[in-house]
Amino acid sequence: MKVLVPVKRVLDFNVKVRVKPDESGVDLANVKMSMNPFDEISVEQAVRMQEAGTATETIAVSIGPDKAAETIRTSLAMGIDRGIHVKTDAEVEPLAVAKILKAIVEEEKPDLVVLGKQAIDDDSNQTGQMLAALMGWPQATFANSIEKDGDSLTVGREVDGGIQTIKVTLPAVITTDLRLNEPRYASLPNIMKAKRKPIDAKTSDDYGVDLTPRLTTVKVAEPAGRTAGVKVADAAELVAKLKEEGVI
Ligand code: AMP
């Protein structure tokens, strides 16, 4: 089974997000960037499938600026076989990402595409679903467990109040949720080995995809600041205050 893993370079999850003074977006100047955390989970899943003999080849794809190659390199150090870097400095919306991925899927013919459930920068939660629709493939989103079962996969999905188990036939699209696995750290020898693994450099023109945005960002604003709290003497005063504020 050939597995394709799209990985996005995003603002590191530990970084405090700063909104630009003109509210046009988030300030990305001189901030730490890393692989989208859900994509690390997808990479771990693909590598484990290869270690178990279920996957025969694993490929990472990233669409983004020059530095997105570093994100691919991280996935190679975790165990992915090779990479495809679609270079662009434009902000690429989920639909355009899905169209590029579709073109790559048609070229590479993987049996499975494993994406993160969402990118933590745009929080779109759209790309996997759009890719499945464009390909006409079944999809299992928010995966909590994945088992190969002949020509199908049995996937446990995180839903409100529990786990839903579904079966999808291959080829299929999966999006990963937080509790699927714990991604490994790349060891130094594997980081060195990853330097020799190939990354194909491409552009969106190679796939004939128009990256023109379909959405306009009206504004990005900081969340409202919290107001200072007050101390109460006892539970009775607390209840009285909550009633006064209309909370209870
Ligand atoms: P989103 O729909 O933007 O929340 O992203 C969901 C998933 O799609 C991510 O976790 C990635 O697996 C994939 N993805 C989104 N944008 C990109 C990108 N520029 N390059 C590679 N993969 C991406």
Side-chain angles (χ1 to χ4, degrees):
M1 188 164 74
K2 192 166 168 180
V3 184
L4 192 75
V5 188
V7 292
K8 187 176 186 188
R9 182 171 181 267
V10 298
L11 201 76
D12 187 87
F13 74 97
N14 270 316
V15 168
K16 167 129 179 42
V17 173
R18 281 189 321 260
V19 169
K20 287 186 192 162
D22 65 0
E23 296 193 326
S24 63
V26 167
D27 193 354
L28 294 180
N30 303 317
V31 291
K32 186 176 176 216
M33 306 286 283
S34 304
M35 188 189 303
N36 182 42
F38 293 106
D39 301 349
E40 288 183 343
I41 295 171
S42 307
V43 168
E44 179 66 33
Q45 174 64 28
V47 173
R48 285 190 193 183
M49 284 176 133
Q50 195 160 27
E51 287 168 349
T54 320
T56 47
E57 191 183 15
T58 51
I59 308 161
V61 182
S62 194
I63 300 150
D66 283 343
K67 293 221 159 172
E70 287 173 15
T71 307
I72 297 178
R73 202 60 77 187
T74 304
S75 74
L76 301 182
M78 288 170 75
I80 295 287
D81 294 327
R82 62 183 170 95
I84 301 173
H85 178 197
V86 183
K87 280 191 195 183
T88 174
D89 288 322
E91 221 177 280
V92 191
E93 290 177 355
L95 180 60
V97 173
K99 286 180 180 170
I100 292 173
L101 292 177
K102 175 177 187 266
I104 294 174
V105 166
E106 282 165 352
E107 211 169 272
E108 293 285 348
K109 306 204 173 3
D111 305 284
L112 179 65
V113 185
V114 189
L115 304 93
K117 74 166 178 182
Q118 74 192 57
I120 62 163
D121 53 358
D122 60 19
D123 281 338
S124 292
N125 182 338
Q126 293 173 351
T127 311
Q129 294 89 328
M130 285 177 167
L131 175 65
L134 291 173
M135 292 305 301
W137 284 7
Q139 59 179 309
T141 51
F142 311 120
N144 170 283
S145 64
I146 303 169
E147 294 294 333
K148 180 127 189 311
D149 191 358
D151 283 344
S152 335
L153 295 176
T154 303
V155 181
R157 302 185 57 240
E158 293 212 9
V159 293
D160 277 354
I163 302 293
Q164 179 196 45
T165 305
I166 61 167
K167 214 167 170 164
V168 288
T169 50
L170 293 167
V173 170
I174 286 188
T175 71
T176 57
D177 214 322
L178 199 60
R179 281 163 283 269
L180 177 62
N181 60 45
E182 259 189 51
R184 69 194 65 192
Y185 289 102
S187 64
L188 193 57
N190 285 346
I191 293 172
M192 300 311 287
K193 252 206 267 176
K195 292 189 192 222
R196 292 192 300 273
K197 292 186 180 177
I199 300 181
D200 258 3
K202 301 278 192 183
T203 68
S204 58
D205 287 345
D206 292 330
Y207 301 108
V209 175
D210 170 16
L211 301 185
T212 313
R214 267 46 172 188
L215 306 172
T216 310
T217 301
V218 179
K219 75 169 188 175
V220 177
E222 298 262 6
R226 288 175 66 177
T227 50
V230 285
K231 268 195 174 168
V232 292
D234 52 27
E237 193 187 338
L238 174 64
V239 172
K241 271 233 176 301
L242 291 175
K243 280 190 177 152
E244 208 177 285
E245 305 275 334
V247 179
I248 54 172

